Amino acid sequence: MIYLFIDSSGFGGIESHIHQLALLIQSRDVEVEVVYLQRCPGHPQYERLTESQIPFRFLSDSSSHRFFCSLSKDDVVHAHGYKASIMARLFRLFAPYRLITTFHAGESLTGRLAVYEWLNAYTGFLSYNLAVSSPILERQPFSCELLRNFVLSELPLPIRSRHSTLQVGFVGRLSHEKGIDRFLRLSESHADYHFHVFGDGELAPLVRGKSTLSWHGSVSSMTSYWQHLDVLVISSRAEGLPMVALEAMANGVLVLATDVGDLACLLPADCLVKESQWRRLSRLLKRLENFTHDEWCSLSCQLQSKIMTQFSGDSRWPQLTRVYQLTSSECQ
């Protein structure tokens, strides 16, 4: 059995990664279960896992010690985030399960979170470690392996033309690191486009009441919304390899971004600007507006094809099979 262990209070990049990972493992007929450190009422991922028929449990419903100490050497615990990773390493001292941890944090943390992430990194010698981007990998003091984010490979969706009025989206936490303030500045500079914000967070007051955009709040899934967007803008100050970029590209949505994290391995150079020169995202939007129908469809198809060939579940499964030490009889 593979247990995906997380401490989660909302839906974001880590939760999206875990959902895709669980779906991939399940599709290979390997038993998988998502384990939450505690239950958070109204968490949107519970419904998504139920719809996908992926089992999940809460350790607050039983003893954490009892759960971990019941595991055998044939079980795998794959922990995500600092709190889950630290806890899983401590319990690994009392039970023989195989332990994998993944580092997701691309931003520079401060205060208490920085202390926790330092502790997460420097207890890494107790686990087999993965990182979702090269910059995150390079920061780890102990052995670590790159496992970039992915989305499940499906038949390519039809490439569609852009809307008559360009629909531009921001998807993610409304925070300083994600650059929601920058996105708001862009929306004020392009009154002829329609801007959308999907997400919530500490900088929500900046978005509330803005006449230059439509704020949709936090949504449990972007699946039904991608068709309403032409362009995703990632104006972040720091990233790993954002799941939202992969999802957008898989759905034929063009992506413009600051060159942070591993986005340079995902996007062509003419879709990126230096992080310090984020205002140039405005120029890229204007350039896209002048694309012909054929140019638009060509770039959309190029981005979608890259996801299908290099960032799909199929492309990651051989590596995961090795990391989890699955035998041929355990996976397809």
Side-chain angles (χ1 to χ4, degrees), residues 161-167 192-193 230 289:
S161 300
R162 52 156 288 190
H163 295 81
S164 55
T165 298
L166 198 66
Q167 305 294 308
D192 46 342
Y193 306 158
D230 299 310
E289 184 186 23

Side-chain angles (χ1 to χ4, degrees), residues 125-288:
F125 68 94
L126 294 171
S127 57
Y128 191 96
N129 306 303
L130 303 172
V132 298
S133 74
S134 298
I136 296 173
L137 174 72
E138 291 166 2
R139 292 203 303 266
Q140 303 315 312
F142 297 105
S143 178
C144 193
E145 179 176 341
L146 180 65
L147 177 71
R148 289 193 172 110
N149 279 327
F150 62 89
V151 292
L152 292 195
S153 55
E154 299 174 352
L155 291 175
L157 298 172
I159 299 299
R160 52 179 173 77
S161 300
R162 52 156 288 190
H163 295 81
S164 55
T165 298
L166 198 66
Q167 305 294 308
V168 184
F170 173 101
V171 181
R173 191 171 74 255
L174 306 188
S175 67
H176 179 74
E177 292 79 12
K178 298 297 182 182
I180 182 60
D181 55 317
R182 296 172 168 182
F183 187 80
L184 295 180
R185 294 281 295 276
L186 289 175
S187 73
E188 294 165 356
S189 302
H190 298 279
D192 46 342
Y193 306 158
H194 193 168
F195 287 77
H196 302 263
V197 172
F198 297 87
D200 206 344
E202 58 268 28
L203 296 187
L206 296 181
V207 181
R208 190 173 294 115
K210 276 285 184 180
S211 60
T212 57
L213 53 80
S214 297
W215 182 28
H216 303 269
S218 180
V219 298
S220 61
S221 171
M222 282 296 296
T223 302
S224 61
Y225 294 99
W226 289 124
Q227 62 183 318
H228 303 299
L229 294 181
D230 299 310
V231 183
L232 173 72
V233 170
I234 298 176
S235 48
S236 300
R237 293 176 170 87
E239 282 288 354
L241 182 63
M243 286 291 297
V244 66
L246 306 184
E247 294 174 14
M249 292 164 63
N251 282 273
V253 175
L254 305 190
V255 178
L256 303 178
T258 49
D259 188 358
V260 290
D262 259 356
L263 280 165
C265 77
L266 184 67
L267 296 171
D270 55 2
C271 290
L272 293 166
V273 300
K274 291 182 179 180
E275 188 273 327
S276 62
Q277 298 175 351
W278 63 270
R279 290 178 179 82
R280 296 194 177 193
L281 289 168
S282 180
R283 299 183 189 180
L284 298 190
L285 278 173
K286 290 178 180 178
R287 182 175 66 89
L288 287 183

Side-chain angles (χ1 to χ4, degrees), residues 63-75:
S63 165
S64 299
H65 183 272
R66 188 183 309 121
F67 166 73
F68 283 105
C69 291
S70 70
L71 303 181
S72 73
K73 62 180 179 61
D74 296 322
D75 294 313

